[in-house]
Amino acid sequence: MSDLGSGDEGISGSKYNVANMEGSSSRNEFDSSVKGGSGVEQELATKMLQIQSKRFYLDVKQNRRGRFIKVAEIGADGRRSQIYLALSTAAEFRDHLSSFSDYYSSLGPPNTDNLPEDGKLKSEMMIKDYRRYYLDLKENARGRFLRVSQTVTRGGPRSQIALPAQGMIEFRDALTDLLEEFGANDGGRFKGDLPEERHMKVDNKNFYFDIGQNNRGVYMRISEVKNNFRTSITIPEKCWIRFRDIFNDYCEKMKKSSESITADINLPTSSNSLK
C-alpha cells in the first residue's frame, strides 16, 4: 500500500471516504455499534501528520467502553489501513517509539546487501486484553519503517500500519500531546484474559453468559433468549461473590425442601407400620 511496501489491505471510517470496513474483529473491540453498544461514539480530538508520502490521522474517540485512539494511515495510492489502541496501550506504544527511534538513530547507512532474512531489525510485542500488537522495525529496498500489526486472539484478520522510520519521533510527539490532554489511564482496565462466553439451553430457552468490561470495570451479562425475545441483566464483578452466595442459598433451601417432601412421601403408612 505504501512507498515502503507494507502490503496492507487497508480499512478506514467514513471520515476517510471509504465505505468498506475490514478487520471487523479488532474494530468491534472498540466500536459502539457492536451488539449491546449504546450507538453513540464521540470524537474528542484529531491530529493529522504528513510523513513522506503518507498521511496519518490520530483520532481520540469515546464510547460506552471508554476512550481509545484510532490510528489511520492513508498511502500515496489512496489505500487505507487502521489500528485501535486503548489509552494505556497508546502510552506503552509511545514509550516503544522512543526506544525504536534511539535504535534507528544508532544504525549506520542502509545496506541492502546485508539485510536480515525477514528484514527485521528490532521487534517488540504488546498485549492488551484480547489484542496483541507486534512492532517490527524493518528494512527493505525502499527504506526503513516501523510496521505495527494488530491481531485479535478470538480470530479475525490482521490489521497493520507502516510508519516511515524518519517519522517515529514526530508520531511519538503527536501521541504524547493527545495522551497528556486526555490521560493515559483507560479506567484501570483488567489486564488479563477475560473468560470466554458460556451458553446453556433449558427447554425452549437459551441463556448466554458474557464477560466484558467498560470504563467502570468488569461485568457479567446474563441474557435469556426465547424465540425473538431477548432480555438481559448486567452484574458488576464487585458483587459476583455476593450474587453467588444468594444464589447458592436459594439452591440449598430448595434442595432441603425437596428432600423433605421426598422423605414425607416415603414415610411408611400407619397400617404398614403395624405389619
Side-chain angles (χ1 to χ4, degrees):
M1 71 169 285
S2 68
D3 54 331
L4 296 176
S6 68
D8 297 358
E9 292 298 330
I11 55 176
S12 178
S14 58
K15 176 178 179 178
Y16 312 109
N17 300 318
V18 70
N20 181 36
M21 296 298 294
E22 300 176 3
S24 59
S25 293
S26 57
R27 182 176 186 266
N28 285 351
E29 296 293 327
F30 296 96
D31 193 350
S32 63
S33 65
V34 299
K35 180 178 72 174
S38 64
V40 177
E41 182 176 281
Q42 294 177 283
E43 184 171 300
L44 305 179
T46 187
K47 282 183 177 287
M48 193 277 283
L49 304 176
Q50 182 76 42
I51 301 176
Q52 293 185 355
S53 59
K54 296 182 176 184
R55 281 176 291 145
F56 291 89
Y57 290 87
L58 285 73
D59 300 328
V60 181
K61 292 178 171 286
Q62 178 173 289
N63 59 24
R64 71 179 187 88
R65 295 179 179 272
R67 292 177 178 177
F68 59 94
I69 295 179
K70 180 177 72 176
V71 180
E73 170 196 349
I74 303 179
D77 57 0
R79 292 187 184 181
R80 303 154 172 87
S81 60
Q82 66 191 28
I83 61 173
Y84 291 82
L85 302 165
L87 292 188
S88 59
T89 309
E92 184 179 352
F93 179 43
R94 184 258 327 268
D95 295 339
H96 280 306
L97 283 172
S98 296
S99 172
F100 275 93
S101 180
D102 290 343
Y103 180 80
Y104 166 69
S105 299
S106 70
L107 296 174
N111 182 3
T112 54
D113 296 329
N114 191 29
L115 287 176
E117 199 170 306
D118 59 1
K120 293 181 182 179
L121 304 173
K122 177 179 170 62
S123 297
E124 295 288 350
M125 183 179 71
M126 304 184 299
I127 299 176
K128 177 67 177 178
D129 299 336
Y130 296 109
R131 299 175 296 281
R132 291 176 183 264
Y133 301 85
Y134 299 90
L135 316 179
D136 298 304
L137 182 63
K138 303 189 71 174
E139 182 174 352
N140 61 21
R142 287 179 290 275
R144 292 167 176 162
F145 60 97
L146 180 66
R147 186 181 66 189
V148 184
S149 305
Q150 174 185 331
T151 64
V152 182
T153 56
R154 289 174 168 176
R158 171 180 296 213
S159 55
Q160 59 187 28
I161 63 171
L163 173 65
Q166 298 93 324
M168 287 191 292
I169 291 297
E170 183 180 359
F171 194 98
R172 181 203 65 186
D173 291 345
L175 199 55
T176 298
D177 289 343
L178 293 174
L179 289 170
E180 287 180 349
E181 182 176 357
F182 294 98
N185 183 356
D186 53 342
R189 292 166 66 87
F190 180 68
K191 300 298 189 294
D193 291 337
L194 296 175
E196 295 183 356
E197 173 189 297
R198 300 287 297 273
H199 166 249
M200 179 177 70
K201 185 171 184 179
V202 181
D203 298 329
N204 64 339
K205 293 183 179 181
N206 288 282
F207 294 92
Y208 296 90
F209 301 81
D210 300 290
I211 308 300
Q213 65 176 317
N214 54 28
N215 58 341
R216 292 185 294 276
V218 176
Y219 60 86
M220 177 189 297
R221 178 178 290 115
I222 303 175
S223 303
E224 175 192 343
V225 180
K226 180 181 179 182
N227 298 328
N228 294 324
F229 178 77
R230 182 187 184 99
T231 185
S232 63
I233 60 171
T234 300
I235 308 166
E237 187 210 7
K238 62 183 179 182
C239 65
W240 285 1
I241 294 177
R242 178 60 179 152
F243 188 92
R244 179 202 63 190
D245 291 344
I246 293 174
F247 197 83
N248 280 344
D249 185 53
Y250 279 119
C251 289
E252 289 297 323
K253 288 180 178 178
M254 289 301 297
K255 181 181 178 182
K256 289 179 181 178
S257 179
S258 297
E259 290 174 348
S260 176
I261 293 173
T262 302
D264 289 343
I265 292 175
N266 293 332
L267 281 176
T269 62
S270 57
S271 57
N272 288 339
S273 63
L274 296 175
K275 289 180 180 180

